Amino acid sequence: MVMMKLMVPVAQRTLWILFFCSGYGSGVIAGEVIPSGEGEETKSQQIAASMVQIEKLDRHTLLVTSSSENHISRECVPYGGEVKKAGLEEFGLAMNLADARGALLMDHDAFLESCNFIYPERVQYDSHPNALAVRDLVEPVPGEWQSIGGVPSGCNARIEAVEYSGDGVVYLGGSFSVCGDIPASGIVRLDLNTREFQSLGHGDENGVNGTVFDIVKSGGDLYVGGTFTAAGGMPANRIARWDGQQWHSLGIDDKNGVDSFVWSLEEHQGDIYVGGIFENAGGQLANRIARWDGGSWYSVDDGLVNGFPDSVGIDALLSRPEGLYAGGVFSIAGNVSANNIALWNGEQWQPLGEGENNGVSGRVFSLASWNGEVYAGHGSMSVWNGEQWRRLDSGSSPFVVRAVAATVDGVYVGGFIGGFSADSEYRGVAFWDGDRFESVGDGILVDNSAWTGALVSTDVGLVVAGRFGGASEAPASHVAIWDGLAWSAAGLGTGQGFNDRVQFLAEFDGSIYAGGWFTRAGDALARRFAVNDESGWRAPGPSEVYLTSSMRYMRSETDGLYVNTIIDDGLGDRGRRLGRWDGLTWLFLEDSDTRPATLQPVVAVYQDKLHAVRVMQFDDGSTANVLAFWDGENWLPVQGKQTSGFNGQVSGVEVFDESLCLIGGFTEVDGVPVNKIACWNGDSWRALGTADANGFDVLPLAIKAVQGELFVGGNFRRAGGIDANFIARWNGSAWQSLGVGENNGVNSVVLSIEEVGNDVYAGGVFNRAGRVAARGVARWDGRSWAGIGHGAGIQGNVESMLFHEGVLFVGGRISEADGEVSSNLAIFEPAPHPRIEPALDTVNFSTSPESGSSLADVQFVNSGDADLEISGVNIVDAIGRSDAAFAVLSDGCSGALIAPGGSCSIELTFVPSGSELQLGVLEIRSNVPGGSIFLELIGNDRIFDDRFSNS
């Protein structure tokens, strides 16, 4: 919950005000701060119509609440005149925001006299304008993560399922990790009356570890199905049960659940039926559908198979008196022909209709029952009356129905309803009254990537969920409510997080830009592209120009930001592919052959020309993925002739060593054998490495040039023939791992790399770097790895990083930073730290086997920016035992305080005990982040190896 005006001197600290509605949560005595839970009688006596209560929510947030009907938000924000900025002291609060607990009371008139510091554009109004949340914009603390809070108006990723449990409570399932202000992994409870979210479980073990596709309530229990393998931290294979207090698997040990994704759930005749793409349930053969009776799993007849099991799935289940309906993608149900929908009558499967034309065309996403008939959502909307099908007329508006919800008066449908244009009659949702479709207000905010995938009718209104950034004029992150008259956000929060992935971060002309899948950045509508300035995050440029699909690539160059995606240019063309934003205007770079989708993601300026990989068609009609440059009007191949181009996808690019280096899934470019990386020097291609040992064994995903070396991260385990765990560096002549031995690199995929001062930061999905804990982000200082922050690190996947003016911005699929909610973006200000490295030219043993001892002087230099303290040294053999062959003769380092740039020395001795190779390890214990570093010792006639292992 942080506005990104980060580098503000303490003397210029500002306050940020947002609408927040809450009751009184702490006991208070006027003019004093007292702990919550004390003085309850005094509180009720003291809160009068003329008072304002100020309560601490967390270390950066106050809740200001008027006890009367006074609209303090309107009274505090003048519509004319100068708006003051004020710090806490100027605000007149008798409490310390950083330290206080509990709450205090303040005279209402006194509050109004000092409250006009509020920025008008940062205040939101609704039916409860007598409460405000006050956020203090403190500077980042060096060495600590700073969160930006949760999502103001929903969840931080798409929602796939909604289940109503009565009493104004719904459960949402999807791929999110934050809803409102709380961590919520895949599933969350939402009270529609208070608009408050509640997680299912505690801490890191709340919810499930994957996407939830469907939810069904049975008795007092909630069943959820999806892609996950754990619920509440316990094994649960794609289906789990929540009893209101804790999670349970369905089945015993490794035979619990099913062996692949669950897409649909339904209670039928007291049992839970499960549909998806699995083949096994609890050890039983169950092709795409299974039954759970509360204690055991059973198949349903012979399952659903059409000869192509990998493409068959059950998306929808519907219980009716005559049996269980199943919809999805199939042509056979049991042993009968059935096109995409069938009925299980308890004994056998039945088709819906006669002959080859039974069922419906296309995948059935959803089913509902209304007025005695079955409504099936697929490429359109079809109705089965028990004897025949009829298709509902949607006029000229395109309908791809993904969700259906029946009410007393009719049927709501959701999906890609009405197409992608804001001018459509229906926008994401429509209502069928039995005779015709009607629009539902102004619908959701539609574009190429917006859809509604789950609907449920409740006593409060229609809950609509999916992937979208607004409903009519209401801010709504993937979930909204239609009450019959107006749209509103279904859930509220006080944070300023992003409502979906932040895949790219870049700086241009002093401003920070973010790109990805999001449609809202904090309170601002910013469809997949946002800029941070004095007022916080906002959409750059005119509102009518926006990204209509998720960003594929973004790169900053001297003349602007290059964005590769699908862009609505605001002039009637909704299919622009490549644009340059110069801070004021857009320029689109396309010739007649550029579309559709002929550009691969990467773009970069090289030798003063814009280069991109694109599909080009040659005179003989053949096409190829080639590197091309923009001449101002057209794209031209760099070879100047027809070539075979890349034989696979290109995913990253960097300028290095006067060449343009590209990474991806290719093994050949223009006839030159390469292995997932190739460099173009303006005349020819070259591989990095020898013919038999160049490139990577598995896909690289990130590339960054740092201080004369090229760092590459990804999913690989080998680079240039050497072991390199998920990250490696090219020094201009050979590949090197980051660290030595089996603990080099990190323990899972690297998605981003950034230069931070003299260090290299890696971001991804790992939780260890070298031998130290490092979740999401790790630092490599040239010799060793270290974690970031206080240990908890980043919860989620780090896909992008940007170091700007001393602050590191981290984006991706993120839920927490060091234990605090931070939706899809977090901030870190590196603290000064020491670095330790040897002067390699002084490290050398030289002796003959079985002769006298040999001496070596090992010098260590503090190349960091903070004092180095070496607490001790130790020598062991290669398996950790005390080693008599190597010894410390003199120690000038232990106990020393070494300033940046200073050095110390340790004198070692080696006495060989035989002619065989002898190995030892010198451990240097210090205050270098990450703990000890280790120097490998080798004794022979060529005795000393100066290789370092990682800490």
Side-chain angles (χ1 to χ4, degrees):
M1 194 180 99
V2 172
M3 272 329 231
M4 292 311 138
K5 180 58 180 173
L6 295 171
M7 306 308 294
V8 179
V10 174
Q12 297 179 10
R13 182 179 298 177
T14 59
L15 295 175
W16 174 33
I17 307 301
L18 290 174
F19 172 82
F20 189 87
C21 182
S22 174
Y24 302 121
S26 303
V28 295
I29 297 176
E32 298 182 6
V33 178
I34 64 173
S36 178
E38 300 180 13
E40 290 298 322
E41 293 183 1
T42 303
K43 177 181 69 175
S44 62
Q45 296 168 0
Q46 292 289 338
I47 297 178
S50 63
M51 302 302 290
V52 172
Q53 175 174 285
I54 303 169
E55 178 185 356
K56 180 179 171 60
L57 297 183
D58 59 39
R59 65 177 182 174
H60 295 308
T61 312
L62 300 179
L63 178 68
V64 181
T65 309
S66 170
S67 57
S68 70
E69 295 301 318
N70 292 304
H71 291 192
I72 63 173
S73 58
R74 295 190 186 276
E75 293 175 334
C76 283
V77 184
Y79 285 89
E82 181 181 358
V83 178
K84 290 197 308 182
K85 297 180 181 179
L88 292 178
E89 295 79 11
E90 296 173 81
F91 186 36
L93 302 183
M95 69 186 299
N96 185 311
L97 184 62
D99 300 325
R101 299 294 184 270
L104 59 80
L105 290 177
M106 186 176 184
D107 181 77
H108 185 271
D109 292 335
F111 172 80
L112 292 180
E113 289 178 3
S114 58
C115 75
N116 64 341
F117 59 85
I118 302 170
Y119 290 98
E121 66 272 17
R122 297 184 194 172
V123 177
Q124 300 171 10
Y125 306 115
D126 68 7
S127 58
H128 301 282
N130 63 329
L132 299 170
V134 183
R135 175 76 181 187
D136 188 20
L137 286 186
V138 298
E139 293 187 73
V141 177
E144 293 185 4
W145 284 102
Q146 183 184 7
S147 72
I148 64 170
V151 183
S153 56
C155 298
N156 73 339
R158 73 182 191 272
I159 298 173
E160 299 275 0
V162 182
E163 177 75 357
Y164 184 46
S165 66
D167 297 326
V169 172
V170 296
Y171 291 87
L172 309 176
S175 62
F176 49 81
S177 57
V178 172
C179 290
D181 296 321
I182 66 167
S185 185
I187 185 164
V188 70
R189 179 184 186 271
L190 173 60
D191 188 320
L192 298 176
N193 294 306
T194 64
R195 309 296 169 98
E196 293 180 350
F197 292 102
Q198 180 181 345
S199 58
L200 275 61
H202 303 286
D204 289 348
E205 295 182 351
N206 86 84
V208 299
N209 68 340
T211 299
V212 170
F213 284 118
D214 205 1
I215 309 169
V216 66
K217 191 173 186 294
S218 176
D221 294 336
L222 200 71
Y223 292 82
V224 302
T227 67
F228 53 87
T229 56
M234 304 296 290
N237 292 322
R238 288 96 188 178
I239 186 169
R241 177 174 63 89
W242 172 255
D243 67 4
Q245 298 295 324
Q246 60 185 356
W247 288 98
H248 305 271
S249 61
L250 275 61
I252 301 174
D253 299 329
D254 60 349
K255 292 185 178 180
N256 82 83
V258 298
D259 65 351
S260 194
F261 298 167
V262 169
W263 287 346
S264 54
L265 299 170
E266 181 76 332
E267 183 181 16
H268 179 63
Q269 296 180 349
D271 294 339
I272 300 298
Y273 283 75
V274 182
I277 60 173
F278 52 85
E279 297 178 350
N280 186 289
Q284 303 290 321
L285 181 65
N287 285 321
R288 281 73 189 172
I289 190 167
R291 176 172 63 90
W292 171 256
D293 70 354
S296 300
W297 285 100
Y298 301 91
S299 62
V300 179
D301 194 48
D302 293 325
L304 302 179
V305 181
N306 69 352
F308 300 94
D310 60 347
S311 65
V312 174
I314 301 303
D315 292 88
L317 297 169
L318 173 66
S319 176
R320 279 175 50 95
E322 64 269 24
L324 181 74
Y325 290 83
V329 182
F330 54 86
S331 60
I332 296 175
N335 58 3
V336 302
S337 173
N339 293 322
N340 303 316
I341 187 168
L343 171 67
W344 173 251
N345 65 10
E347 297 181 356
Q348 63 183 1
W349 288 103
Q350 296 177 345
L352 275 62
E354 302 293 335
E356 296 181 354
N357 294 322
N358 75 82
V360 298
S361 62
R363 179 177 179 178
V364 174
F365 293 100
S366 54
L367 295 168
S369 177
W370 184 66
N371 210 19
E373 299 179 314
V374 174
Y375 285 70
H378 55 114
S380 59
M381 190 71 195
S382 297
V383 182
W384 173 253
N385 65 6
E387 296 182 356
Q388 61 184 5
W389 288 97
R390 72 179 186 276
R391 179 171 293 190
L392 302 186
D393 182 15
S394 60
S396 60
S397 296
F399 270 43
V400 176
V401 179
R402 295 186 52 156
V404 186
T407 69
V408 174
D409 299 320
V411 177
Y412 287 93
V413 298
F416 294 99
I417 305 299
F420 307 124
S421 172
D423 299 326
S424 301
E425 182 179 0
Y426 315 107
R427 302 184 186 96
V429 61
F431 178 70
W432 175 258
D433 66 2
D435 295 315
R436 61 187 180 87
F437 281 108
E438 298 176 353
S439 60
V440 182
D442 290 333
I444 67 165
L445 191 67
V446 297
D447 54 38
N448 289 13
S449 297
W451 46 263
T452 52
L455 308 172
V456 66
S457 178
T458 74
D459 294 339
V460 179
L462 178 74
V463 178
V464 178
R467 171 177 280 165
F468 52 85
S472 185
E473 297 299 320
S477 291
H478 313 300
V479 58
I481 297 176
W482 170 252
D483 65 6
L485 297 174
W487 288 96
S488 62
L492 299 176
T494 61
Q496 284 294 289
F498 287 70
N499 74 345
D500 215 320
R501 294 166 61 185
V502 177
Q503 293 173 283
F504 304 98
L505 291 166
E507 179 275 334
F508 175 69
D509 198 24
S511 295
I512 303 164
Y513 289 82
W517 290 21
F518 58 85
T519 50
R520 303 198 76 87
D523 296 306
L525 177 64
R527 288 190 265 190
R528 305 168 188 93
F529 187 40
V531 62
N532 180 256
D533 57 21
E534 294 287 342
S535 61
W537 289 101
R538 62 175 177 83
S543 61
E544 61 270 17
V545 181
Y546 60 90
L547 278 59
T548 67
S549 186
S550 60
M551 187 178 286
R552 302 178 70 206
Y553 195 75
M554 180 170 71
R555 185 179 179 89
S556 178
E557 298 287 357
T558 58
D559 58 346
L561 276 174
Y562 287 88
V563 175
N564 187 342
T565 183
I566 303 175
I567 305 171
D568 186 326
D569 66 5
L571 300 173
D573 192 335
R574 308 189 72 249
R576 299 287 195 174
R577 298 289 172 172
L578 180 61
R580 186 188 73 200
W581 171 253
D582 66 6
L584 296 174
T585 59
W586 284 98
L587 173 68
F588 299 103
L589 298 90
E590 296 165 349
D591 60 20
S592 58
D593 298 327
T594 301
R595 297 174 288 163
T598 58
L599 282 169
Q600 292 212 19
V602 298
V603 291
V605 172
Y606 171 63
Q607 295 182 343
D608 299 324
K609 294 178 181 178
L610 182 66
H611 286 67
V613 178
R614 55 157 299 171
V615 176
M616 299 197 74
Q617 184 171 5
F618 298 102
D619 292 341
D620 63 0
S622 64
T623 59
N625 250 354
V626 303
L627 181 64
F629 67 91
W630 177 254
D631 72 352
E633 294 182 356
N634 294 286
W635 290 100
L636 303 174
V638 295
Q639 294 278 35
K641 59 182 180 180
Q642 180 172 343
T643 60
S644 57
F646 293 87
N647 68 345
Q649 177 75 19
V650 178
S651 57
V653 62
E654 183 72 316
V655 178
F656 171 73
D657 194 22
E658 299 183 354
S659 297
L660 191 65
C661 297
L662 300 98
I663 58 173
F666 52 86
T667 57
E668 183 180 287
V669 53
D670 290 344
V672 177
V674 294
N675 202 2
K676 303 176 181 64
I677 185 168
C679 293
W680 170 256
N681 64 9
D683 294 310
S684 60
W685 290 100
R686 67 184 176 100
L688 295 189
T690 63
D692 297 329
N694 78 85
F696 309 97
D697 61 333
V698 185
L699 190 66
L701 299 167
I703 183 170
K704 181 76 174 182
V706 179
Q707 298 177 10
E709 295 185 312
L710 189 65
F711 288 77
V712 180
N715 197 26
F716 53 83
R717 303 301 293 271
R718 292 182 66 80
I722 67 167
D723 291 336
N725 295 328
F726 306 103
I727 188 168
R729 57 180 172 175
W730 173 258
N731 64 9
S733 59
W735 287 102
Q736 296 178 324
S737 61
L738 276 63
V740 298
E742 63 181 11
N743 290 314
N744 81 82
V746 298
N747 69 340
S748 193
V749 180
V750 171
L751 299 171
S752 57
I753 301 171
E754 179 67 338
E755 180 180 7
V756 179
N758 293 322
D759 300 327
V760 173
Y761 280 54
V765 298
F766 49 82
N767 57 29
R768 293 194 69 81
R771 296 176 180 174
V772 301
R775 190 165 69 170
V777 180
R779 182 182 68 239
W780 171 256
D781 69 1
R783 290 291 179 264
S784 61
W785 285 101
I788 303 301
H790 297 302
I794 295 293
Q795 179 76 20
N797 302 344
V798 174
E799 301 180 48
S800 56
M801 294 188 291
L802 172 68
F803 187 58
H804 176 66
E805 294 186 354
V807 176
L808 180 70
F809 294 80
V810 172
R813 291 181 181 269
I814 296 172
S815 60
E816 296 180 37
D818 263 356
E820 293 198 13
V821 170
S822 195
S823 182
N824 294 318
L825 189 81
I827 304 151
F828 181 78
E829 182 177 350
H833 63 89
R835 296 178 62 180
I836 183 170
E837 57 182 309
L840 297 179
D841 56 352
T842 67
V843 178
N844 185 26
F845 275 110
S846 179
T847 189
S848 300
E850 301 186 30
S851 63
S853 67
S854 179
L855 302 177
D857 185 62
V858 185
Q859 187 177 32
F860 295 96
V861 176
N862 179 6
S863 60
D865 50 12
D867 289 342
L868 170 66
E869 299 177 32
I870 297 181
S871 57
V873 297
N874 186 39
I875 294 181
V876 296
D877 68 9
I879 59 174
R881 300 173 302 186
S882 178
D883 193 334
F886 302 94
V888 176
L889 188 63
S890 65
D891 181 0
C893 291
S894 295
L897 184 65
I898 306 166
S903 64
C904 66
S905 296
I906 299 172
E907 191 173 18
L908 303 178
T909 181
F910 168 64
V911 180
S913 58
S915 59
E916 72 276 5
L917 186 71
Q918 292 175 274
L919 302 175
V921 176
L922 172 65
E923 178 188 12
I924 303 97
R925 298 187 298 273
S926 73
N927 65 333
V928 170
S932 298
I933 65 170
F934 301 87
L935 188 65
E936 187 176 14
L937 310 178
I938 300 177
N940 203 325
D941 56 352
R942 303 176 189 275
I943 303 299
F944 199 91
D945 189 337
D946 56 22
R947 293 174 293 170
F948 269 84
S949 76
N950 52 297
S951 58

